Amino acid sequence: MTDPFLDSLATALAGQAATALGAAGKAALEKVRELLRRRSERDPETKAALEAAERPDADRPQITALAERLDQVCAEDADFAEQLRAEGAEVHNAISAADDSVVNINHGQVKNLVQTREFNGNITFN
């Protein structure tokens, strides 16, 4: 099973998440695509996986293959993994927040953090 972050990037690169991306997400996706194309210049396996996923008839197997390739590349190259995660964060968050879901991102120290989607009943915070 691939990392959900990499799976969301592969889905977006395959064009299957365009409606979930706003302007910032689309700009971030272009940065991810360029990063992968630069990587592909010296990595034929990544190039083949990216091209297969970007084809108009690409489906789940091609998307999964790209996510698996990204997972492998990230495991082999920590610098690339860090850059991919930085460039792809906006894309991942936009896709993860699709379909009436929520993504919360917290930086720094948090004393108390509560999130709920639905709550039926009583709740008390002390």
Side-chain angles (χ1 to χ4, degrees):
M1 180 173 197
T2 57
D3 179 334
F5 179 87
L6 299 175
D7 195 45
S8 65
L9 290 184
T11 300
L13 287 163
Q16 303 212 358
T19 58
L21 297 177
K26 289 177 183 175
L29 181 60
E30 274 311 304
K31 289 181 181 180
V32 168
R33 186 172 276 118
E34 281 306 309
L35 176 66
L36 288 175
R37 286 189 176 137
R38 285 192 307 273
R39 171 74 186 211
S40 294
E41 291 173 2
R42 64 182 194 283
D43 183 352
E45 290 178 62
T46 300
K47 182 177 183 175
L50 179 61
E51 288 175 350
E54 289 181 322
R55 290 177 42 159
D57 62 344
D59 206 354
R60 196 72 191 120
Q62 291 81 17
I63 294 168
T64 299
L66 177 58
E68 289 171 350
R69 181 63 194 153
L70 294 176
D71 201 33
Q72 183 178 8
V73 170
C74 287
E76 296 169 355
D77 186 342
D79 291 336
F80 176 79
E82 184 178 324
Q83 191 174 5
L84 183 62
R85 288 191 179 276
E87 297 290 350
E90 180 79 29
V91 176
H92 173 69
N93 292 340
I95 292 171
S96 298
D99 298 325
D100 197 31
S101 62
V102 175
V103 174
N104 282 333
I105 301 170
N106 297 290
H107 297 281
Q109 296 181 352
V110 177
K111 183 176 179 184
N112 297 311
L113 175 65
V114 177
Q115 176 179 326
T116 181
R117 178 169 174 84
E118 294 179 22
F119 184 81
N120 298 319
N122 296 325
I123 188 167
T124 304
F125 296 98
N126 295 326

